[in-house]
Every structure is written in structure tokens, then in C-alpha cells.
Amino acid sequence: MATAQTKKTFRDNYFLESFLLGLGLSFAVFLPFLVVDGGRFLFYGDFNVQQVPFYRLAHDAVRAGNIGWNHLTDLGANFIGSYSFYLLGSPFFWLTIPFPSEWLQFLMGPLLILKFACASFTGYVYLHRYTKSPDTAMIGAVLYAFSGFSIYNIFFNHFHEAIVFFPLLLAALDEYMETRRRGLFALAVFACCFVNYYFFVGQVTFCLIYFFLRLACGSWRLSFKDFLLLALEAVTGVGLSGLLLLPSVLAVLQNNRVDNMVNGWNAVLYNRNQRYLHILECFFFPPDLPARPNFTPDSESKWSSLGAWLPLFGMTGVIGWLQLRRKHWLKKMLWVLFAMALVPFLNSAFQMMNASYYARWYYMLTLMMALATIMSLESERVDWRRSVLWTFTITVAIGAVIGFMPKKETVDDQEFWAMGLMEYPTRFWTYVAISLICLALVVYLFLFCRQSRRVFKRAVLWCLSLVSVLYSICFIALGKTQSDYTWDHIIPYELNGGANIDLPDLQVCRSDFYESMDNAAMFWQIPSIQAFHSIVPGSVMEFYDSIGVQRDVGSRPTVSHYGVRGLASVHWLFDDDDDPDFFAGEQSDDPAMPGWAYYGNANGYDIWENEYYIPMGFSYDHYLTRSEYEAFSKGSDTSVGQRELAMLRAIVLEDGDIPSVEGMLEHLDAMSRDFTEENYLADCQSRRSMACENFAYTSSGFRANMTNITRDRLVFFSVPYEAGWSARVNGEEASILRANVGFMAVRVPKGELAEIEFIYHTPGLGTGILITLASLMLLVGYLTLARRLQKPDPEGPRYPKVRRVGRFAGYAKRRQASFRQPGSMTLHRGEVEHAPLPAPEPELPPQPQQPEAAPEGSAPAKPRPKRRYQPRPWPQKAPGLEGATPNGPELEEAHKLEEPHELEEPHELEESRELEETHKPAALPAEPPAAPVEEPKTEPTAKEDKPEEP
């Protein structure tokens, strides 16, 4: 009679269970804050002023089809090049497209919850290959998804896409090396590159180390043909992302921070000695708040993403694995990664050798740390007592040095002694307490929760989940204390989109925000000269640098640069009425810039009008060469320079373009180069008299009209110059000149009316689409050819020797193991089925040296089982329970765990044999044999007659 097959439920699907576990834990983390903020999730710093407005701006641009030029980003920017780093490659962003724009503020929290759940799922996908029990892989998935790096980078919302997709890249590589499965690695490379090209650079570096190190350790074997096919899949995956990758690369190459290469002593040693301690403590303590370093205030690592703490376990499992006297690729990998973290030029290898310090590759390190921790849990050879002691010692040492070291401080010219090196004592001792409590929980688990494997696993998962939720809530709550304007300003005045502002030309002019929140204009969807955005056209950076304004991650010209407001057509200025630093003083009678007058108050802002406003698109009578312009003085944060004032009197042209304007413009002579505040106002009036009419932005660029043109003129637009622009005047192609350092000008013939239109085509987009299509055809052809050339093997598939396939009898003899338990001979999926082995002969009990005649009917003595040195996956029995026999589900689970999942490498087998020979137990005299017991004969079932398929 056939045995009934057990019906699988969703509980048996650990992939789904890992996703649901991550979903539930992240929901518990974010739910309190969603309730507090009325369904929204707002944090502080970059999250509030970049992630939230970027989502809405990009969402509205995609829905409106404005994917070419975006005039709402700084002075204007390439939309794809500027937002591919933040959003455009993220599948989570595209989930928001069907929803209305007003819903975006309520979707930020659910999207983060979904990202944590997906990170838990993908972490399980990679980790489950290396564990004997799926429950262990579940623990590793939670460790990875809720690591210190993940919680730290809630501040940088778009970093979580890399955390989600990276485990799939390693899982695909492992799958190729084990089964030679074609195409999966190419798709994983495409996904990682398409999602975020910046993080993909670090992932390539990591994968190269991972791949060649495992080859060197003998963990993998690869033929030259398979290596070439693997390289082909990698190149094909990169090509599939060409649609987004090529425009992004062309945009990023204009950024002046790309050329900042690490060099000299700064490539060998960090120039800040506190940074070494910051790197060390991030493995033993929960993460510091971004921009608020506490342990090392002067390490200059405010936004470096230094977080690698594993909840509950910290470094205990990692130290335990590193202390094993066992050669394993993971030990070497961890040592290599820790060394790279401490050497500047090796650390910069994860970001194309850039000199700026970032640790934004630590999510890959935390995945390896999570793997080491769960493998330590499954290894009986790990000395947890020793690893806990090491972790406790380092944690206490760091806490004692920073917490009790005396220092001398000076306040109001008076010196006094203070205790502690931390910046925020309360927060510091909270971190120390969390780390020590987690160590105490680990000790408790090993001392009091070892009755069985099931109890231990459940206790570990419960404690890990509790710690992950509580420390994440603590981190977010501390971050929200750094932002006291959520309900006072962001929700009532920014998230409403400036609904209470009623000004006629906000969409065709530019606005300014004085001492207000960054990117306030993006919340309102209006053009502005203030912007906090890292990726803008190189011409914008060149212009600001030429007038003495620092442009690295944001455009923030101070009020001393009042000439920029006239040149950039700024009409309105908004001053936060709740800020103590007023634009015109407390009495509102002394504006900080000339030519401004008070207009009114609305939407939480005092509104000021530029009475000398110049509309977009105006012309000149004179010109200056670029070399003459360079001779003028720059400005500073406290004074205006001659350069920006000169650009309002004469247009600045490149030296090579001067012949093209001869007869149309006059050269500005030396007597007319007196640039003062009074002359600035006169120049503004002169430019306004020669300005365009009916200026408007379009989905492909902008257009304007100019009337009563008495002679040919060169019309200037303060729109950043880029290679993707083309211009038409009265329907005919017109050449574009680079003017005023980083902007554009076009020649307009005389006449009553001139219609000017600028059209933008994203550089590299067309070529990128062709590369993507060609790569897609290559991938399809590759997979089709590989399937046709694959010949069926009559003996079954022969997989590469990642695992050493052999007979169970040989393994049992070497390891002194037994495979007579029910289910122990069942083949794993993917293992080669050999011919059945002959039934083993019953072992005879060893005869004593002086045998005595046993009485008739007595039971034969049972031979004492030999010692087993194969590591067990979990603690087996608590003290005093050695004689207990597991039964029921525990026995069935123990049988499953007895199956070897991955045999040791050759050198490990030799080491095991030597260990067995050294510790082989001495022979003991046998007890008197007992009478044999006959087993009842049973009819073979249908399942036993038919061999089980792998």
C-alpha cells in the first residue's frame, strides 16, 4: 500500500516565510511613526529634503512625459542623468506611478517596509545554500536585512535598492558555478547595474574578489570555456542596462568630483586618526546617526554610511568563525574585506578610486558577516564562550576609553576638565547599553535555551526579531529628534505644494529661498536657484566656481552674490517667517540685497519681490572675451565679485566665438568696466528693455518670442549649456553659442517677431537603447544556442565538481558515520544517483580475549558506538539530558540534519582523518551477547518498490 504524501503548506515555503517575516518586522518598526505623522513617514536631514521631494518631482515628470530636460532641478538638468542615481532604476519608484501625486507623501513609509521585506527575502535566497537548516538561513536573512548598514541608510532611502538586489547577484554566480545554469547571472548583472550604477561599481569589485578567492581556495573549479561564457554573461548584463547606464555615465562625467582620485599618503593612511576607531566601533555598536557622529566627532565621516552591526549577535558569530582552525574561503574573504576597510586606497576601490571617504559598500560586508554568524551556529566546533568573551572585552574597552577619558575644554576663555570624548553622552551610553544587553541575551540563549534544536532556533529568532525592532525604533526616534519642524513647517507649508501662494509668474521665472529648508522649491514644483542635488550639468558647476560660489552637493549662493539673482531671472524671494534670521532684519526695513521690496506673507513665508527683475531671455549691446572675464575678481560668501556684475553689462563669449558676433556686438572698452551696486541696477533695467516675451517651458525644452528687433541680436538664456540642445529661430536651425561661462545664446535676425525654440535630446539615450536591444538579442541567441547544444546524458545530468560526489560507504568509513537511519540515504536535489550498494553484513560484536560461555537465552552485548567528529548544526542536549532520546518531529528533524549538505574540501578531509586517528577511542571489552530479536516481516510498499527520484 502506497504511503500518503504530505501536503505542503505555506509554512514549508521558506522563501515566502522570509519575505513575510521581514514584512512583519519592518511594519512593526515603522508603524509608530506612521501613526505619529498622520500616515506619512518623515525622518530628518537628507531624507526630508531630498528623498521626499525627489520622489514627487520624478513621479510627476514621468507621468507628464517630461523625461528630457527638467527645469525644476537647480538651474536646469538632464532628467535621466540626474535622477537615475536616485530613482529611475528602482522598481519601488515605478510602483508609485499609478498613484496620484498627492499620495506620494503617504507612500514613503510603505515603500521602506517593502524594501526591508525584499532584503530579507533576497538575503535568504543567497544564504540558504550554505546552511543545513532553512531556519538558520532565516536568521541570517534577518541579520542582513536589519543590519546597522540598513538602519543607518534609512537616511538615504535609495541605498536600499542595492541592499535588496546584491544577494541575487551572488546567488546567481553561485548557481552558475554549481550547475552551469545559463542566463541567470546575466539577468542579475542587469538588475544590479540598472538599479543603481554607483553601487554597481562596488559590486563588481566585490564579485571579482569573491570569484577569484573561491577559485584560489579550491571551493570552485572552472574550465576556460565556462569562464569565457561567464564573462559573456557579465558583459551582456551590463549591455542590457545601456538604456539607463550610458546617459547616466555621460552626465556623471561632467561632475567635478569624479576627478578627485585618491593619491599620496592619503591613499595609505587616513588623514583623520579617529576614523580608525569609527570603523572599529561600527562593528560592535548600533549605528550612529548620519551627520551626528557621536563616538568620533572629528573623524569627518558624517555621511559615510559607517554601519555594520548585526543585531543581537554583533561580532560574536564572526569572531567565532574566524577563530576556527579550519581552512575555509569565508575566513579568507572576511580578512580581506576587513583589511580593505582599513586601507584608504583599497576602500576607495569600491567607488572607482575616489578620494572622498565613504563606506557605502559595507552592506556586502554585512552579508558575509551574517553568513559567518549562521555557519557558526551550525558548527559544533565554534567556541561561543571564547567569541562572546572577545566581543565583550572589545565592547567594554571602546566604551570605557570614549566614556571615561578626561579632556580639557575651553569655554569663554576658561579651561576646565571634562569626562568623556563623545559628543552626546546620553546617546552614547544608550548604544553601549544596547550592545551589552545583546551580549547578555546571547549568553542566556546558550545557557538556558538548549533543550532541543527547535527550542533554540525559536528562541534565537524571537530574540533577534525583538532586538531588530527595538533598536530600529530607537534609531529612528533619535533621528526624528533632530528635526523639530515636521508639524510646524514641512507638513503644513511644504507638502501642500505651496497651495496658498498666488503669484502670477512662478512657473516662468526663478525664485529664491532665504535661510529656508533645502529644496523647498521642489516641494512646490517651481524653478529656483537654490538646490540640494549632487548630479547637475557640469556647466552649472563651472559657472558657480567662476564667481566664487562653492558647488559640490548643492547650489546655495549667499545674498552677497546679488548679481546672480539678476542674471538668473530671479523674481521672488521667500523668507521663512519662523526663522530668527530675517532677510531684512527684525523691522523688515533693511533688505540684504539691493533692489528688493516687501510683497506680503503667505504659506508661512514672507515674500519679497525683485523690482529689477529681468525676464528669461535677454540681449546685449557689448561683449567680453572669456580671457578678459577671467581677469576680473571672484566673489565670496561676504562680498560680490566683478565677474557676476560684468555679465549683466556685457555677454561673456569664448575666445574662439568672437568672429561670429563681429558687427552684431561691440567690445566693452576699459572705460566702461566700472562695476558697482548702482551700475548693477542700471544694467538690470537695460537688459530688461531687451528681454523676450511669452517665455514658457515645454516638455522638450523651452520657447520664447521677441518683438520689434531693430537689428540682429544675440539673445541669452540662463539655461545650462549641454550637448543635447538644439535651437530653431523662426523654424530654421540656429547654432548655439556658449555664453556667460555655462549658459546658452542664439542669434536672432531683425524683424517684427522672432519665435525661438530650444529642444533637448538626452545625450546617449538613443545609443543606449540600441545597446540594450542588441544585448537582449545576444542573450536570447546565447540561451537558444546553449539549449540546442546541450546533449542529454543517459546517466543523468553531470554537474561540475563543486561538491565532491562519492559513495556513502566511503564517506561513512572515513568519517565513522552511520547512514542507517530512516531517510538518511535519500538523494538531495542535484546529486548523482549511483547504483544501489549491497546490503551491509551485520557487524559481529568483538570477542573478548578470554570468552566465557554465555548462559542460554541471554541477550548479546551491543557494541559501543564510535565517537563522531562531524560538527552538528545546533546544540544537541542540555547538561543532564545526554541519555534522552529524541522522538517525534525532533527525531525526523535530526535525521534531516544528519545528511551532509556540502562535503569538505580535500585539504579539510585530510585534516579530519588526522584528527580521527589522533582521537580514536581505545577498544573496550564487549558485554555478553544478547539473544537476537526477530523483526516482524512486512510487505514492501509501492514507494519502497520504486526508487525515489532525486
Side-chain angles (χ1 to χ4, degrees), residues 48-76:
N48 291 350
V49 302
Q50 278 196 325
Q51 310 302 323
V52 176
F54 285 3
Y55 256 88
R56 183 165 184 175
L57 184 149
H59 169 273
D60 293 351
V62 170
R63 285 173 63 103
N66 300 330
I67 60 173
W69 185 258
N70 187 266
H71 62 279
L72 303 177
T73 303
D74 208 293
L75 300 176

mmCIF file of all heavy atoms in Angstrom, residues 48-76:
data_model
loop_
_atom_site.group_PDB
_atom_site.id
_atom_site.type_symbol
_atom_site.label_atom_id
_atom_site.label_comp_id
_atom_site.label_asym_id
_atom_site.label_seq_id
_atom_site.Cartn_x
_atom_site.Cartn_y
_atom_site.Cartn_z
ATOM 1 N N ASN A 48 14.234 64.090 4.401
ATOM 2 C CA ASN A 48 13.129 65.035 4.266
ATOM 3 C C ASN A 48 13.318 65.980 3.084
ATOM 4 O O ASN A 48 12.344 66.324 2.409
ATOM 5 C CB ASN A 48 12.976 65.854 5.551
ATOM 6 C CG ASN A 48 12.476 65.020 6.711
ATOM 7 O OD1 ASN A 48 12.061 63.872 6.548
ATOM 8 N ND2 ASN A 48 12.525 65.585 7.903
ATOM 9 N N VAL A 49 14.554 66.431 2.845
ATOM 10 C CA VAL A 49 14.766 67.476 1.847
ATOM 11 C C VAL A 49 15.231 66.934 0.505
ATOM 12 O O VAL A 49 15.310 67.701 -0.465
ATOM 13 C CB VAL A 49 15.781 68.519 2.365
ATOM 14 C CG1 VAL A 49 15.298 69.133 3.666
ATOM 15 C CG2 VAL A 49 17.164 67.918 2.537
ATOM 16 N N GLN A 50 15.543 65.632 0.418
ATOM 17 C CA GLN A 50 15.908 65.059 -0.876
ATOM 18 C C GLN A 50 14.966 63.925 -1.275
ATOM 19 O O GLN A 50 14.333 63.986 -2.329
ATOM 20 C CB GLN A 50 17.359 64.536 -0.845
ATOM 21 C CG GLN A 50 18.398 65.609 -1.071
ATOM 22 C CD GLN A 50 19.750 65.021 -1.422
ATOM 23 O OE1 GLN A 50 20.141 63.957 -0.937
ATOM 24 N NE2 GLN A 50 20.493 65.717 -2.261
ATOM 25 N N GLN A 51 14.866 62.901 -0.442
ATOM 26 C CA GLN A 51 14.103 61.723 -0.841
ATOM 27 C C GLN A 51 12.632 62.055 -1.094
ATOM 28 O O GLN A 51 12.062 61.630 -2.109
ATOM 29 C CB GLN A 51 14.225 60.629 0.233
ATOM 30 C CG GLN A 51 15.625 60.327 0.679
ATOM 31 C CD GLN A 51 16.523 59.892 -0.464
ATOM 32 O OE1 GLN A 51 16.073 59.188 -1.357
ATOM 33 N NE2 GLN A 51 17.777 60.291 -0.436
ATOM 34 N N VAL A 52 12.022 62.819 -0.204
ATOM 35 C CA VAL A 52 10.592 63.107 -0.342
ATOM 36 C C VAL A 52 10.309 63.985 -1.565
ATOM 37 O O VAL A 52 9.480 63.623 -2.420
ATOM 38 C CB VAL A 52 10.041 63.747 0.949
ATOM 39 C CG1 VAL A 52 8.582 64.145 0.775
ATOM 40 C CG2 VAL A 52 10.197 62.787 2.123
ATOM 41 N N PRO A 53 10.981 65.150 -1.736
ATOM 42 C CA PRO A 53 10.683 65.952 -2.937
ATOM 43 C C PRO A 53 11.155 65.301 -4.231
ATOM 44 O O PRO A 53 10.517 65.498 -5.277
ATOM 45 C CB PRO A 53 11.428 67.274 -2.674
ATOM 46 C CG PRO A 53 12.487 66.941 -1.693
ATOM 47 C CD PRO A 53 11.922 65.847 -0.832
ATOM 48 N N PHE A 54 12.241 64.531 -4.203
ATOM 49 C CA PHE A 54 12.705 63.865 -5.422
ATOM 50 C C PHE A 54 11.661 62.880 -5.936
ATOM 51 O O PHE A 54 11.425 62.779 -7.145
ATOM 52 C CB PHE A 54 14.021 63.128 -5.162
ATOM 53 C CG PHE A 54 15.225 64.030 -5.050
ATOM 54 C CD1 PHE A 54 15.096 65.401 -5.106
ATOM 55 C CD2 PHE A 54 16.496 63.501 -4.881
ATOM 56 C CE1 PHE A 54 16.202 66.239 -4.993
ATOM 57 C CE2 PHE A 54 17.604 64.316 -4.773
ATOM 58 C CZ PHE A 54 17.462 65.688 -4.826
ATOM 59 N N TYR A 55 11.067 62.135 -5.017
ATOM 60 C CA TYR A 55 10.043 61.173 -5.421
ATOM 61 C C TYR A 55 8.884 61.884 -6.128
ATOM 62 O O TYR A 55 8.423 61.434 -7.189
ATOM 63 C CB TYR A 55 9.521 60.412 -4.201
ATOM 64 C CG TYR A 55 10.058 59.008 -4.086
ATOM 65 C CD1 TYR A 55 11.258 58.744 -3.421
ATOM 66 C CD2 TYR A 55 9.380 57.931 -4.642
ATOM 67 C CE1 TYR A 55 11.754 57.456 -3.310
ATOM 68 C CE2 TYR A 55 9.864 56.634 -4.544
ATOM 69 C CZ TYR A 55 11.058 56.395 -3.872
ATOM 70 O OH TYR A 55 11.546 55.123 -3.774
ATOM 71 N N ARG A 56 8.449 62.983 -5.554
ATOM 72 C CA ARG A 56 7.296 63.662 -6.160
ATOM 73 C C ARG A 56 7.670 64.326 -7.474
ATOM 74 O O ARG A 56 6.908 64.262 -8.445
ATOM 75 C CB ARG A 56 6.745 64.698 -5.179
ATOM 76 C CG ARG A 56 5.498 65.392 -5.699
ATOM 77 C CD ARG A 56 4.756 66.141 -4.624
ATOM 78 N NE ARG A 56 3.518 66.714 -5.131
ATOM 79 C CZ ARG A 56 2.628 67.340 -4.389
ATOM 80 N NH1 ARG A 56 2.842 67.466 -3.077
ATOM 81 N NH2 ARG A 56 1.526 67.833 -4.906
ATOM 82 N N LEU A 57 8.845 64.945 -7.541
ATOM 83 C CA LEU A 57 9.259 65.601 -8.775
ATOM 84 C C LEU A 57 9.397 64.589 -9.908
ATOM 85 O O LEU A 57 8.891 64.799 -11.015
ATOM 86 C CB LEU A 57 10.580 66.339 -8.539
ATOM 87 C CG LEU A 57 11.129 67.180 -9.691
ATOM 88 C CD1 LEU A 57 11.906 68.375 -9.136
ATOM 89 C CD2 LEU A 57 12.053 66.383 -10.602
ATOM 90 N N ALA A 58 10.106 63.478 -9.640
ATOM 91 C CA ALA A 58 10.302 62.472 -10.686
ATOM 92 C C ALA A 58 8.979 61.799 -11.053
ATOM 93 O O ALA A 58 8.731 61.499 -12.228
ATOM 94 C CB ALA A 58 11.316 61.433 -10.219
ATOM 95 N N HIS A 59 8.149 61.553 -10.063
ATOM 96 C CA HIS A 59 6.837 60.939 -10.311
ATOM 97 C C HIS A 59 6.012 61.804 -11.252
ATOM 98 O O HIS A 59 5.457 61.324 -12.253
ATOM 99 C CB HIS A 59 6.123 60.756 -8.968
ATOM 100 C CG HIS A 59 4.679 60.382 -9.078
ATOM 101 N ND1 HIS A 59 3.673 61.327 -9.203
ATOM 102 C CD2 HIS A 59 4.049 59.166 -9.070
ATOM 103 C CE1 HIS A 59 2.512 60.719 -9.264
ATOM 104 N NE2 HIS A 59 2.712 59.406 -9.192
ATOM 105 N N ASP A 60 5.941 63.106 -10.984
ATOM 106 C CA ASP A 60 5.149 63.999 -11.822
ATOM 107 C C ASP A 60 5.762 64.165 -13.206
ATOM 108 O O ASP A 60 5.042 64.286 -14.206
ATOM 109 C CB ASP A 60 5.020 65.368 -11.143
ATOM 110 C CG ASP A 60 4.188 65.297 -9.870
ATOM 111 O OD1 ASP A 60 3.577 64.245 -9.612
ATOM 112 O OD2 ASP A 60 4.177 66.283 -9.109
ATOM 113 N N ALA A 61 7.109 64.172 -13.278
ATOM 114 C CA ALA A 61 7.763 64.320 -14.580
ATOM 115 C C ALA A 61 7.495 63.119 -15.474
ATOM 116 O O ALA A 61 7.216 63.261 -16.670
ATOM 117 C CB ALA A 61 9.268 64.516 -14.380
ATOM 118 N N VAL A 62 7.543 61.918 -14.912
ATOM 119 C CA VAL A 62 7.299 60.709 -15.702
ATOM 120 C C VAL A 62 5.842 60.658 -16.160
ATOM 121 O O VAL A 62 5.546 60.342 -17.319
ATOM 122 C CB VAL A 62 7.668 59.453 -14.881
ATOM 123 C CG1 VAL A 62 7.185 58.196 -15.579
ATOM 124 C CG2 VAL A 62 9.169 59.388 -14.660
ATOM 125 N N ARG A 63 4.935 60.987 -15.266
ATOM 126 C CA ARG A 63 3.515 60.954 -15.647
ATOM 127 C C ARG A 63 3.192 61.988 -16.717
ATOM 128 O O ARG A 63 2.297 61.780 -17.549
ATOM 129 C CB ARG A 63 2.641 61.182 -14.411
ATOM 130 C CG ARG A 63 2.549 59.968 -13.491
ATOM 131 C CD ARG A 63 1.804 60.312 -12.217
ATOM 132 N NE ARG A 63 0.423 60.703 -12.469
ATOM 133 C CZ ARG A 63 -0.641 59.950 -12.272
ATOM 134 N NH1 ARG A 63 -0.470 58.704 -11.823
ATOM 135 N NH2 ARG A 63 -1.855 60.380 -12.493
ATOM 136 N N ALA A 64 3.917 63.119 -16.707
ATOM 137 C CA ALA A 64 3.676 64.154 -17.707
ATOM 138 C C ALA A 64 4.494 63.948 -18.980
ATOM 139 O O ALA A 64 4.308 64.683 -19.953
ATOM 140 C CB ALA A 64 3.996 65.533 -17.113
ATOM 141 N N GLY A 65 5.407 62.975 -18.987
ATOM 142 C CA GLY A 65 6.232 62.730 -20.165
ATOM 143 C C GLY A 65 7.416 63.658 -20.302
ATOM 144 O O GLY A 65 8.050 63.700 -21.367
ATOM 145 N N ASN A 66 7.768 64.400 -19.235
ATOM 146 C CA ASN A 66 8.902 65.327 -19.287
ATOM 147 C C ASN A 66 10.175 64.616 -18.819
ATOM 148 O O ASN A 66 10.683 64.875 -17.732
ATOM 149 C CB ASN A 66 8.623 66.553 -18.408
ATOM 150 C CG ASN A 66 7.398 67.318 -18.853
ATOM 151 O OD1 ASN A 66 7.058 67.330 -20.030
ATOM 152 N ND2 ASN A 66 6.718 67.953 -17.912
ATOM 153 N N ILE A 67 10.684 63.735 -19.669
ATOM 154 C CA ILE A 67 11.847 62.951 -19.268
ATOM 155 C C ILE A 67 13.115 63.420 -19.964
ATOM 156 O O ILE A 67 14.148 62.744 -19.902
ATOM 157 C CB ILE A 67 11.623 61.451 -19.560
ATOM 158 C CG1 ILE A 67 11.388 61.232 -21.056
ATOM 159 C CG2 ILE A 67 10.464 60.912 -18.740
ATOM 160 C CD1 ILE A 67 11.335 59.764 -21.452
ATOM 161 N N GLY A 68 13.065 64.558 -20.612
ATOM 162 C CA GLY A 68 14.258 65.103 -21.261
ATOM 163 C C GLY A 68 14.968 66.101 -20.370
ATOM 164 O O GLY A 68 15.892 65.772 -19.640
ATOM 165 N N TRP A 69 14.503 67.359 -20.425
ATOM 166 C CA TRP A 69 15.100 68.428 -19.630
ATOM 167 C C TRP A 69 14.177 68.767 -18.476
ATOM 168 O O TRP A 69 12.966 68.919 -18.643
ATOM 169 C CB TRP A 69 15.339 69.670 -20.484
ATOM 170 C CG TRP A 69 16.054 70.757 -19.747
ATOM 171 C CD1 TRP A 69 15.516 71.885 -19.203
ATOM 172 C CD2 TRP A 69 17.455 70.808 -19.478
ATOM 173 N NE1 TRP A 69 16.484 72.638 -18.616
ATOM 174 C CE2 TRP A 69 17.697 72.013 -18.762
ATOM 175 C CE3 TRP A 69 18.517 69.979 -19.759
ATOM 176 C CZ2 TRP A 69 18.967 72.382 -18.332
ATOM 177 C CZ3 TRP A 69 19.780 70.350 -19.342
ATOM 178 C CH2 TRP A 69 19.991 71.531 -18.641
ATOM 179 N N ASN A 70 14.767 68.897 -17.276
ATOM 180 C CA ASN A 70 13.975 69.224 -16.095
ATOM 181 C C ASN A 70 14.413 70.587 -15.580
ATOM 182 O O ASN A 70 15.515 70.749 -15.072
ATOM 183 C CB ASN A 70 14.162 68.160 -15.014
ATOM 184 C CG ASN A 70 13.234 68.367 -13.845
ATOM 185 O OD1 ASN A 70 13.599 68.994 -12.864
ATOM 186 N ND2 ASN A 70 12.017 67.860 -13.934
ATOM 187 N N HIS A 71 13.537 71.577 -15.694
ATOM 188 C CA HIS A 71 13.879 72.947 -15.295
ATOM 189 C C HIS A 71 13.663 73.186 -13.806
ATOM 190 O O HIS A 71 13.969 74.283 -13.313
ATOM 191 C CB HIS A 71 13.041 73.944 -16.085
ATOM 192 C CG HIS A 71 11.558 73.825 -15.845
ATOM 193 N ND1 HIS A 71 10.767 72.877 -16.465
ATOM 194 C CD2 HIS A 71 10.718 74.532 -15.047
ATOM 195 C CE1 HIS A 71 9.527 73.003 -16.062
ATOM 196 N NE2 HIS A 71 9.452 74.002 -15.197
ATOM 197 N N LEU A 72 13.158 72.185 -13.070
ATOM 198 C CA LEU A 72 12.921 72.340 -11.640
ATOM 199 C C LEU A 72 14.109 71.894 -10.797
ATOM 200 O O LEU A 72 14.079 72.023 -9.575
ATOM 201 C CB LEU A 72 11.680 71.543 -11.229
ATOM 202 C CG LEU A 72 10.384 71.881 -11.970
ATOM 203 C CD1 LEU A 72 9.259 70.964 -11.529
ATOM 204 C CD2 LEU A 72 10.008 73.342 -11.732
ATOM 205 N N THR A 73 15.137 71.361 -11.421
ATOM 206 C CA THR A 73 16.334 70.897 -10.713
ATOM 207 C C THR A 73 17.448 71.911 -10.920
ATOM 208 O O THR A 73 17.959 72.067 -12.037
ATOM 209 C CB THR A 73 16.773 69.527 -11.236
ATOM 210 O OG1 THR A 73 15.693 68.601 -11.092
ATOM 211 C CG2 THR A 73 17.985 69.013 -10.469
ATOM 212 N N ASP A 74 17.800 72.629 -9.856
ATOM 213 C CA ASP A 74 18.820 73.667 -9.929
ATOM 214 C C ASP A 74 18.453 74.660 -11.031
ATOM 215 O O ASP A 74 17.292 75.039 -11.155
ATOM 216 C CB ASP A 74 20.202 73.036 -10.154
ATOM 217 C CG ASP A 74 21.318 73.898 -9.574
ATOM 218 O OD1 ASP A 74 21.545 75.005 -10.085
ATOM 219 O OD2 ASP A 74 21.938 73.474 -8.580
ATOM 220 N N LEU A 75 19.419 75.065 -11.845
ATOM 221 C CA LEU A 75 19.133 75.967 -12.957
ATOM 222 C C LEU A 75 18.618 75.217 -14.181
ATOM 223 O O LEU A 75 18.343 75.829 -15.215
ATOM 224 C CB LEU A 75 20.397 76.755 -13.334
ATOM 225 C CG LEU A 75 20.984 77.627 -12.222
ATOM 226 C CD1 LEU A 75 22.277 78.283 -12.667
ATOM 227 C CD2 LEU A 75 19.985 78.683 -11.759
ATOM 228 N N GLY A 76 18.501 73.919 -14.048
ATOM 229 C CA GLY A 76 18.074 73.043 -15.130
ATOM 230 C C GLY A 76 19.010 71.855 -15.194
ATOM 231 O O GLY A 76 20.209 71.976 -14.938
#
